[in-house]
Amino acid sequence: DTAVSQTPKYLVTQMGNDKSIKCEQNLGHDTMYWYKQDSKKFLKIMFSYNNKELIINETVPNRFSPKSPDKAHLNLHINSLELGDSAVYFCASSQDNAGGVETQYFGPGTRLLVL
Amino acid sequence: GDSVTQMEGPVTLSEEAFLTINCTYTATGYPSLFWYVQYPGEGLQLLLKATKADDKGSNKGFEATYRKETTSFHLEKGSVQVSDSAVYFCALSGGGSYIPTFGRGTSLIVHP
């Protein structure tokens, strides 16, 4: 069974379009995250939710909006896509963000290419 | 704020060579320290971790010791294999903030 799953795995789209990426975890974790990884493998945290509540919101353009319908799901919607949004987006989850000491479990990634 | 510094890669080794990837950190408080590995085309996965000073994390022949006095968590393996080729990330959490902090990653390439 896949612990953290993301869809789609690949996403190719035109500039200006709106797209969504979905994430689900079946580990029963309380906290979920979105990361962006650039072509040099640099990993940047974007958002984190704990029990459906936004707790981390790093410097990310307003075009990115996370949504957590329940604690097992965290989706990422991107409006007006730009070339610079091309990257690999990873979802992750952990048991509890209290003190942030828990191991994170990562999904397989969504490879977004904006043309 | 918290930060993690890793040696730049790529690190290129022959099979059975000894591996060290350096990692140092800056944090207030007492963070937990992690090494994650990312194989090509995959997400990150935990390799090992240590939650307090002098703890040694180990897995799959890799080891790292939490050194508070030198604020370091260097990754070592005595004999690397081609299958160890991947990107390795040092990370911390539970330091001064609740935001997990990752290093920039170090690419390891192992030749037969």
Side-chain angles (χ1 to χ4, degrees), chain A residues 13-47:
Chain A
T13 187
Q14 299 287 330
M15 267 197 314
N17 284 350
D18 303 339
K19 290 293 179 186
S20 291
I21 307 172
K22 295 186 176 182
C23 178
E24 176 181 1
Q25 55 95 2
N26 63 7
L27 297 167
H29 288 167
D30 296 323
T31 305
M32 296 184 72
Y33 311 79
W34 278 112
Y35 287 88
K36 178 181 180 181
Q37 186 176 49
D38 64 21
S39 59
K40 294 184 179 178
K41 302 296 186 184
F42 178 62
L43 202 63
K44 175 181 163 63
I45 191 166
M46 302 172 70
F47 303 103

Side-chain angles (χ1 to χ4, degrees), chain B residues 7-89:
Chain B
M7 58 190 291
E8 284 193 29
V11 173
T12 304
L13 296 172
S14 297
E15 206 165 24
E16 299 184 3
F18 183 85
L19 168 71
T20 300
I21 300 178
N22 291 336
C23 171
T24 57
Y25 68 91
T26 302
T28 56
Y30 302 97
S32 291
L33 302 175
F34 305 81
W35 277 101
Y36 288 87
V37 58
Q38 183 180 25
Y39 297 105
E42 298 183 9
L44 282 71
Q45 56 185 274
L46 178 71
L47 180 59
L48 53 85
K49 70 178 183 182
T51 57
K52 61 183 188 297
D54 300 325
D55 269 2
K56 178 187 280 188
S58 60
N59 186 24
K60 300 181 182 179
F62 290 90
E63 292 183 341
T65 300
Y66 190 141
R67 301 281 188 206
K68 190 167 181 291
E69 64 276 11
T70 54
T71 61
S72 65
F73 193 53
H74 305 320
L75 182 68
E76 296 182 337
K77 186 175 186 183
S79 175
V80 293
Q81 306 300 311
V82 172
S83 57
D84 294 327
S85 298
V87 180
Y88 292 81
F89 292 88

Side-chain angles (χ1 to χ4, degrees), chain A residues 37 55 99-100 103-104 106 111, chain B residues 36 38 41 44 49 93-94 98:
Chain A
Q37 186 176 49
I55 57 170
T103 300
Q104 293 178 78
F106 285 78
R111 285 138 190 87
Chain B
Y36 288 87
Q38 183 180 25
L44 282 71
K49 70 178 183 182
S93 73
Y98 50 83

Side-chain angles (χ1 to χ4, degrees), chain A residues 4-115:
Chain A
V4 181
S5 59
Q6 295 179 228
T7 53
K9 187 168 184 181
Y10 299 96
L11 188 51
V12 181
T13 187
Q14 299 287 330
M15 267 197 314
N17 284 350
D18 303 339
K19 290 293 179 186
S20 291
I21 307 172
K22 295 186 176 182
C23 178
E24 176 181 1
Q25 55 95 2
N26 63 7
L27 297 167
H29 288 167
D30 296 323
T31 305
M32 296 184 72
Y33 311 79
W34 278 112
Y35 287 88
K36 178 181 180 181
Q37 186 176 49
D38 64 21
S39 59
K40 294 184 179 178
K41 302 296 186 184
F42 178 62
L43 202 63
K44 175 181 163 63
I45 191 166
M46 302 172 70
F47 303 103
S48 177
Y49 272 74
N50 178 269
N51 279 319
K52 302 194 296 174
E53 182 181 342
L54 182 65
I55 57 170
I56 296 174
N57 186 357
E58 290 294 273
T59 308
V60 175
N62 291 338
R63 299 181 294 102
F64 290 80
S65 54
K67 281 201 171 72
S68 182
D70 56 59
K71 76 172 194 177
H73 296 85
L74 180 61
N75 303 324
L76 183 64
H77 188 76
I78 315 171
N79 288 327
S80 303
L81 277 155
E82 299 178 358
L83 294 177
D85 297 333
S86 296
V88 183
Y89 292 84
F90 286 103
C91 177
S93 72
S94 65
Q95 174 56 32
D96 189 355
N97 191 258
V101 298
E102 300 295 335
T103 300
Q104 293 178 78
Y105 293 80
F106 285 78
T110 295
R111 285 138 190 87
L112 172 64
L113 177 60
V114 182
L115 302 174

